[in-house]
Amino acid sequence: MEDVKLEFPSLPQCKEDAEEWTYPMRREMQEILPGLFLGPYSSAMKSKLPILQKHGITHIICIRQNIEANFIKPNFQQSFRYLVLDIADNPVENIIRFFPMTKEFIDGSLQTGGKVLVHGNAGISRSAAFVIAYIMETFGMKYRDAFAYVQERRFCINPNAGFVHQLQILLVPKSHTKKDNKINLLII
């Protein structure tokens, strides 16, 4: 075992003018971080092109199961860069293996001034798990803190128990110093 000090950026603070969550909002996408949106497939349907353009979306991560591919699919391949992941919303599905690819896709977009929408079918379990993982990895957060941060912006998130377990073992912060925002990680 080896002690490694890593530095993480500060997490953006909650918007002061955040809307009060209402049930119909589950059908829309919400901005979780500047340039990173989370929502259901309905926010990426053909009829939603003007809304995606209004928000400046340039990249879309489409998470669906093989059997959903006929109705959850990239609708605007000529307008947006897509990353399509075939993942079942099943507690035994291994999602950790996709985290490096999705982090690289999101970082690549944000670093070039793009904006990313991450969606599954409902924007509740699979896509939420990937956004939580991105926040954990990018900002060095524990699962429960990253979950709370995302839920403040999209109240209806609820990753399945298997995804939660994988996220809980993703990062094991050993200590956190708020003063300099450095985190020591235990590499196992």
Side-chain angles (χ1 to χ4, degrees):
M1 287 195 291
E2 152 188 351
D3 230 4
V4 178
K5 276 196 181 216
L6 298 177
E7 291 189 32
F8 295 97
S10 296
L11 190 63
Q13 294 302 310
C14 204
K15 291 181 180 178
E16 296 294 327
D17 59 345
E19 279 185 78
E20 188 69 30
W21 180 265
T22 60
Y23 188 70
M25 291 172 72
R26 77 191 189 291
R27 295 187 197 104
E28 304 165 4
M29 64 181 177
Q30 284 77 38
E31 190 168 22
I32 307 302
L33 292 170
L36 179 60
F37 293 78
L38 170 61
Y41 173 67
S42 62
S43 64
M45 291 172 57
K46 289 182 179 179
S47 63
K48 303 296 182 168
L49 180 60
I51 293 169
L52 294 169
Q53 292 171 327
K54 177 183 149 202
H55 287 288
I57 301 296
T58 57
H59 294 65
I60 297 176
I61 299 176
C62 174
I63 306 169
R64 84 292 174 84
Q65 190 171 344
N66 284 337
I67 61 171
E68 297 172 313
N70 288 333
F71 63 93
I72 298 177
K73 57 189 174 189
N75 288 313
F76 312 106
Q77 292 186 33
Q78 71 288 354
S79 302
F80 305 110
R81 186 158 176 230
Y82 277 87
L83 173 62
V84 179
L85 303 174
D86 288 322
I87 299 171
D89 189 2
N90 183 319
V92 299
E93 183 79 41
N94 176 0
I95 61 171
I96 290 178
R97 63 193 167 117
F98 295 103
F99 291 164
M101 178 190 325
T102 57
K103 182 161 180 13
E104 183 179 326
F105 186 83
I106 293 168
D107 284 341
S109 170
L110 298 178
Q111 289 166 2
T112 58
K115 294 184 178 184
V116 184
L117 166 62
V118 182
H119 77 75
N121 185 5
I124 292 172
S125 182
R126 288 173 288 193
S127 52
F130 278 87
V131 170
I132 291 167
Y134 179 79
I135 289 172
M136 289 173 66
E137 290 181 322
T138 302
F139 299 99
M141 297 177 73
K142 293 180 182 178
Y143 167 75
R144 71 174 174 270
D145 297 329
F147 174 89
Y149 184 86
V150 175
Q151 192 177 48
E152 284 177 12
R153 290 146 183 82
R154 184 165 173 79
F155 184 73
C156 63
I157 67 166
N158 187 24
N160 75 46
F163 295 171
V164 169
H165 177 71
Q166 292 175 67
L167 290 165
Q168 288 172 329
I169 63 171
L170 180 62
L171 284 177
V172 186
K174 190 173 144 189
S175 67
H176 184 268
T177 307
K178 289 189 181 205
K179 181 181 163 196
D180 58 7
N181 206 28
K182 288 183 183 173
I183 295 179
N184 292 323
L185 295 181
L186 180 63
I187 309 292
I188 302 172

